[in-house]
Amino acid sequence: MEIKLLSEHYDKPEFQGLDGYKKLGGYEPLKKAFQMQPKAIIEMVKESGLRGRGGAGFPTGVKWGFLPDNGEPRYLLCNADEGEPGTFKDRLMMERAPHQLIEGMIISAFAVGSHKGYIYIRGEYNEPTAILQKAIAEAYDAGLLGKNILGSGFDFDLDVYQGAGAYICGEETGMISSLEGKKGQPKLKPPFPAVQGYLGKPTIVNNVETLAAVKYIIRDGADGYRKHGTEKSAGTKLFSVSGNVMKPGTYEVPLGYKLMDLINIECGGLKPGRKLKAVIPGGSSAPVLTAAECADATMDYENLAQKGTMLGSGAVIIIDDTNCMVDMLKVILHFYHHESCGQCTPCREGTGWLHKIVSSIYSGTGRLQDIDLIQQVADHMAGKTICALSDAAAMPAVSFVQKFRSEFEFYVREGRSKVKGAVDAQV
Amino acid sequence: MSIVKKPGAIANWYLPGIFAGMWFTLVTMIRNIFNQDKMITKNYPEDKYEYSPRFKGNHVLTVKKDGSLRCTACMLCATACPADCIKIKASEHENPAVEKYPISYEIDILRCVYCGYCEEACPVDAVRMGPEWQTPGLAGTNFSYDIQHLAYRAQLKGGVLSRVDDEERHKAGI
Amino acid sequence: MPKCKINGQEVEVEAGTTIIEAFKKLDSEIAHYCYHPGLSVAGVCRLCMVEIEGNPRLQIACNTVVQDGMVINNNSEKVKETVKWGLDFHLINHPLDCPICDQAGECELQIQYMKFGQYDPEMAEPKVKKNKVVDLGSKIVLDSERCILCSRCVRFTEEVSKTNELGIFNRGDRSEIGTFDGKPLENDYAVNTVDICPVGALTSKDFRFRQRVWYLKNKETVCPGCSTGCNVKSYYNEEGLFRVKPRQNDEVNGYWMCDKGRDTYKFVNKENRLLEPKVGQSGQWDSQEVDGVMSVMSTKIDDAVKSAGSDKVALVLTGQYTSEEYASMLSYFVGHLKSKNVYHWVNNPESFDEFDGLLLRGDRNPNTKGLLNGLDQHGITAPWSDLETKLNAGDIEVLLVAGPEDPSVFPTLTEKVSLFSKAKNLFWMSAAKTEAADSATTKTWQIPLKTYAEKEGTFVNHKGIEQKIQPMVNIVDCAQTLSEVASALSGQKVDHLGSLVKDRKTNHFINHHGGGL
Amino acid sequence: MAFSQETIEFIKKECQRYETRRSAILPCLYRAQKEDPNNQVTPEAVAEMATLMELPEVQINEVLHFYTMYNKKPVGKLHVQVCTNISCSMNGGREMAEHLCKEFNVNYEEVSSDGRYTISRVECLGSCDTAPMMQVNDKYHENLTKEEAVKLLKDM
């Protein structure tokens, strides 16, 4: 069953504006937060078990705790550079409930003691940007942003910054580089952004959904939030379901929800006559699950990690039996080849190499040893670079080749896809 | 070890040996006159031996399809040369695709030991050991072969085409 | 100070030292491209991977600080395999250009492949094509295909020269180094990017295609271009010098040198040299033998001293010679001739004290300090104007001038020669062949001197640091050092460093054929 | 082409807006692109920006070439960007792009002869539930078929 926290009022157009938002309980948690000590808020977020919703799933409260106490100005950045193929949950939130994000950000800024925040939004999102900007202007007018917010003595300025089309800016240090007006190339860690981030100052970067969820943790309390989800994966999560299902879209379900239920109940199942072949459960960088593995998969960090994949950004891509896996992998690797920032050699050269190998298989000139080569190249890319983009390219490559090896071998031997062959045979 | 035999008494009397020798010469001469194609010796310089294509004779610089030198002036031949007989001067070519080419390439053929290392060292089949071996000359300078001689001498009839083709290499992605 | 163990060897380092620096301290081999001690850490080549006990992930040595008790190795199978693949990633799109690449022979890709790689390449697909032979300015040519994007050059223009000409454009494996149109790589330190380029992507126009590097020998010496006295390596063969590269000395020049200093090999070579002694004036010159000129000089000086006193003889020195040469020349003048008629010729008084903030100084002589020390020791304080007055009054019978080694740093050479021409006899000692000297209007003897590449000695830089130079190759056989001139004049036999020798044979055979490969 | 007065004002204002002047590069490049008749950022514009912003040209140029949303080549009046990433290509995004090219007789990334269309294939635009989709200039058009897409573009 869907449990709607963040997406509760998505269907109400008035939720976009400040008045409608306030009527539906908006900015009440903020007042509550101002009654609390910032440390207490951080503790509460820690207790709630909220984990980063952007992909890595790092506990949010713990991240906030890393900030050094050195009196330097701190920045709170919202990562709205939603680039992972298959993900579109944040766009929906920014379009339907911009104030939810703004409120979450004010609370979070209060908690971490930051007085300046940026929402880094991807360049293609023109509409959400306009909506956000309008909402921010409304908030400034209502005294919800700027100096002495709601008489609490707390100052917070918020600005929107548009990216310009680079997936890598979704990586937190890449985003910081981009915000500094440089190429969006990730920075070496250590130092971590919490210590030296934007302009060398302590910086917290959180996903849109994470920041918005903070509001609900304040509203319901840590226990109230925890009652959704599982022991280790607390709360609800927005899942962007796309691909070959009847009703693709964004669905909010508690973590630990059954994957098959998500497909069959929320999304209305597959198209008639089609069979489930594979599911990518966490955006294109997550290793793929076969139909058999999907049967008992639940959508939480632990279960998916057990199955060798990850929850990622919650982008569930459903692949049915009309799709050729060689083709799918080619599309995915083209993406990573296109988006590699070019800094670290293994990723810069490896993504291109992988794409070339799969393309040559796809065009019928592949060799059988290329299939093993894909695995070898991917193995030596993963974990060898500054950021996780090379892992993101390597993981699907390895999983596709491992789990659908027969399809790749068929393609190399016959020079055509097994899928079409199978369809032909049925006809 | 050879065994030295003491010459016998007949051998000391040498005239029969001389006649035997002259008889052999006479018979061979007559046979050669009537049987010229079976003759072992050749009428050099009108007649020349056909050498095996693998014969390592005088150097040839190969050319590209457009007739320009294949040599890229990498100087690997000069480096490999044990006799130190190859001198190359490189320069920047106006065509950026060529980049580097020799403005002078000289082989001091009198120093050359015909080892063939230059041919082996060449990465682009630019220098080969050709079939010619005659190196007559009247002065020392005649034995210092320059580009004109190495690549375009009359015997080569406009140059020997290199097996390494840039276009094909580019197509193959090298 | 933290202690760590590297490949089983214990080492103690300063706090804050990175692992790669600890490796360097131990002289332990570690593969790397992007790390350069004079630049910030980029951490992009991913080759300096090390295994740290207790950490399942391999770490890069250039960005990991040594902690006390760390146990580090880079010789486990895991690391070796990673480095091998790291090299493979570097090489898959690297063209097979080595035959025409100037870097071949000193290329880090070649060196490190032989040390750490030696795998069979698996790449079967076509390589990425990029721009070749890109003109980056008057000094440097770029080949993007060869570039491994280590970003050293970009960091150099950002951090050291602070001129920001280079950038990396595009992304992924389409990334290319480049300049912005209309803002070429033209700064006084640009050629350093060629030195730090680990591959043949950046090549110096000056050196391009002139020699294969394995034909060149090198010796450590000191740049004579200015009073900074950058520590350099000169590359030469029997024909002469071909290039100059900086070598590290944190006290003097760090890792860099300026492009003006790189030109200092040129005046050493034959085409710019005075090849034999000659006598004459106003463009009319006759060849002479060294010994003959020396005895003429000796006689002229003796005559002048005898007839009119040692005041009629003067010596002009520039800051271009070694301290040893100054010492012998000055002791001849002060000790032998009892004359303090020695003058310091400052080549460019207007810009003499300039400094560009990095290395290049306005005093374009290597040993001004050495000369001043020498003059000080002998209590010589005569100002330049004295000499001018005397010359204008016709008071100088014999004038000895130790002229420029590098005439390009003497902007007022012609005026000075015409001033010197007011002496009755001019002995012009210089390594360089100059039109200015040839235009002397008084009776002049030109005597070829040795350059810094042909002699031993000491330069004292602006800070007072004494640095040795050493001979590499003889370009002009009959060239003399000032010490040799001084000894010939005083009738003593001294070696080129000024110490007395009994008998010295010159072996012309060695001079002609020595220095071969 | 020199910038208009408003753009110059805009650039100067943006330079003040962020903590560092460099941060203003991205928004200013957007502005420069918008002002260009061919909807691109030319080297001249970069040079002018560099003088206005007092930054080295190369820093701006690096940014320009890194991000895909700045056009380095002329672009038609309607810049049609068809998503061909995984969800869209499962639902016919690639075929749609192909079809548009044929329909308007233009190659990818080129301007059609009437100067109206430039069709490019792009990576995920974050609208996977409504695949296939395309972005025309600033606006998303979702849940398309080949025919609908052609009609939509012709009507614009």
Side-chain angles (χ1 to χ4, degrees), chain A residues 40-226:
Chain A
I41 301 177
I42 297 182
E43 278 312 307
M44 196 178 206
V45 172
K46 265 186 202 163
E47 268 170 46
S48 75
L50 175 65
R51 293 170 66 167
R53 300 294 195 230
F58 194 81
T60 307
V62 178
K63 197 187 218 175
W64 290 1
F66 287 151
L67 284 169
D69 234 347
N70 55 5
E72 278 190 294
R74 296 161 174 186
Y75 293 96
L76 177 70
L77 309 183
C78 170
N79 187 343
D81 190 79
E82 190 177 42
E84 182 87 16
T87 320
F88 44 88
K89 62 183 176 69
D90 296 342
R91 180 171 72 103
L92 205 68
M93 179 174 323
M94 290 183 287
E95 279 177 2
R96 306 274 169 86
H99 282 287
Q100 194 166 291
L101 171 61
I102 296 168
E103 187 178 1
M105 279 195 80
I106 303 170
I107 297 173
S108 306
F110 179 65
V112 300
S114 159
H115 300 292
K116 177 81 201 190
Y118 284 101
I119 300 172
Y120 184 94
I121 191 165
R122 62 181 293 190
E124 291 89 343
Y125 283 1
N126 287 303
E127 223 168 307
T129 308
I131 293 168
L132 264 178
Q133 269 163 344
K134 198 175 140 232
I136 289 174
E138 277 179 331
Y140 265 108
D141 288 345
L144 291 161
L145 284 171
K147 292 258 175 282
N148 192 12
I149 297 168
L150 298 177
S152 64
F154 177 68
D155 310 332
F156 185 60
D157 285 305
L158 187 58
D159 207 344
V160 182
Y161 193 86
Q162 251 189 315
Y167 168 66
I168 195 62
C169 294
E171 202 271 352
E172 59 179 359
T173 50
M175 194 187 108
I176 291 170
S177 293
S178 182
L179 193 56
E180 287 169 354
K182 302 176 187 161
K183 294 179 289 178
Q185 290 183 326
K187 299 179 179 188
L188 275 176
K189 283 158 274 185
F192 288 92
V195 182
Q196 277 182 34
Y198 179 55
L199 303 173
K201 301 286 186 291
T203 304
I204 290 292
V205 183
N206 280 126
N207 179 256
V208 173
E209 192 186 340
T210 318
L211 289 168
V214 171
K215 169 194 158 182
Y216 292 93
I217 293 170
I218 301 296
R219 190 187 75 180
D220 302 343
D223 291 333
Y225 190 74
R226 275 202 93 93

Side-chain angles (χ1 to χ4, degrees), chain A residues 255-273:
Chain A
L255 287 164
Y257 196 66
K258 280 205 175 86
L259 172 59
M260 290 315 291
D261 284 354
L262 182 68
I263 298 172
N264 291 327
I265 301 173
E266 267 74 34
C267 302
L270 299 170
K271 287 177 186 158

Side-chain angles (χ1 to χ4, degrees), chain A residues 75 85-86 88 91 118 122-123 159 161 163-165 178-182 184 198-199 242 248 317 327 334-335, chain D residues 17 19-20 22-23 26 30 62-63 66-69 85 87 90 94 123-129 138 140 142:
Chain A
Y75 293 96
F88 44 88
R91 180 171 72 103
Y118 284 101
R122 62 181 293 190
D159 207 344
Y161 193 86
S178 182
L179 193 56
E180 287 169 354
K182 302 176 187 161
Y198 179 55
L199 303 173
S242 63
I317 302 166
D327 185 18
H334 177 269
F335 172 73
Chain D
R17 179 168 166 187
E19 282 81 358
T20 59
R22 248 180 123 161
S23 294
L26 271 86
Y30 272 125
E62 270 188 332
V63 170
F66 185 83
Y67 296 98
T68 51
M69 285 182 64
N85 209 294
S87 297
M90 276 196 268
R94 284 179 295 188
E123 299 302 345
C124 187
L125 291 172
S127 189
C128 314
D129 52 341
D138 285 352
Y140 279 17
E142 298 162 320

Side-chain angles (χ1 to χ4, degrees), chain A residues 229-305:
Chain A
T230 67
E231 175 61 30
K232 282 185 175 160
S233 306
T236 60
K237 170 100 188 74
L238 294 165
F239 286 102
S240 323
V241 190
S242 63
N244 305 127
V245 282
M246 292 305 284
K247 288 192 291 176
T250 304
Y251 299 97
E252 186 173 14
V253 294
L255 287 164
Y257 196 66
K258 280 205 175 86
L259 172 59
M260 290 315 291
D261 284 354
L262 182 68
I263 298 172
N264 291 327
I265 301 173
E266 267 74 34
C267 302
L270 299 170
K271 287 177 186 158
R274 305 257 183 104
K275 257 170 59 189
L276 185 67
K277 185 177 197 174
V279 172
I280 303 175
S284 67
S285 58
V288 68
L289 290 174
T290 60
E293 285 172 313
C294 291
D296 62 339
T298 58
M299 300 305 283
D300 56 80
Y301 296 101
E302 288 71 34
N303 186 285
L304 290 178

Side-chain angles (χ1 to χ4, degrees), chain B residues 64-82:
Chain B
K64 296 181 212 167
K65 277 179 190 153
D66 62 355
S68 60
L69 269 195
R70 172 68 266 193
C71 176
T72 57
C74 71
M75 306 194 198
L76 290 184
C77 49
T79 307
C81 182

Side-chain angles (χ1 to χ4, degrees), chain B:
Chain B
M1 202 175 92
S2 60
I3 298 164
V4 181
K5 279 184 187 168
K6 261 197 164 175
I10 300 169
N12 276 343
W13 199 56
Y14 51 82
L15 270 182
I18 288 176
F19 286 121
M22 288 181 72
W23 177 247
F24 185 80
T25 308
L26 186 74
V27 170
T28 311
M29 189 185 86
I30 292 164
R31 198 171 57 215
N32 279 351
I33 287 168
F34 294 104
N35 235 341
Q36 283 202 355
D37 40 330
K38 283 193 181 154
M39 225 164 78
I40 291 171
T41 51
K42 294 260 175 192
N43 289 327
Y44 185 79
E46 290 82 18
D47 244 4
K48 282 169 191 162
Y49 273 109
E50 278 294 308
Y51 278 88
S52 139
R54 296 167 66 178
F55 180 76
K56 290 181 177 179
N58 282 355
H59 306 75
V60 172
L61 287 184
T62 60
V63 295
K64 296 181 212 167
K65 277 179 190 153
D66 62 355
S68 60
L69 269 195
R70 172 68 266 193
C71 176
T72 57
C74 71
M75 306 194 198
L76 290 184
C77 49
T79 307
C81 182
D84 208 4
C85 68
I86 305 177
K87 295 269 173 294
I88 304 168
K89 248 191 206 147
S91 184
E92 183 109 35
H93 200 277
E94 55 200 17
N95 178 1
V98 178
E99 213 174 328
K100 191 180 179 186
Y101 80 114
I103 43 170
S104 96
Y105 189 114
E106 280 177 13
I107 297 181
D108 183 350
I109 212 74
L110 292 183
R111 286 191 76 138
C112 179
V113 293
Y114 294 90
C115 64
Y117 283 5
C118 48
E119 189 181 6
E120 250 170 81
C122 184
V124 290
D125 184 33
V127 59
R128 285 192 206 162
M129 305 290 277
E132 301 152 22
W133 51 272
Q134 305 98 321
T135 52
L138 293 172
T141 48
N142 292 20
F143 298 101
S144 179
Y145 292 171
D146 60 358
I147 291 176
Q148 194 52 41
H149 181 88
L150 288 167
Y152 307 110
R153 57 179 177 258
Q155 295 98 306
L156 299 177
K157 297 178 179 102
V160 178
L161 201 65
S162 170
R163 280 187 292 269
V164 179
D165 187 26
D166 273 340
E167 264 175 50
E168 276 163 31
R169 275 154 65 99
H170 280 293
K171 255 182 239 160
I174 300 170

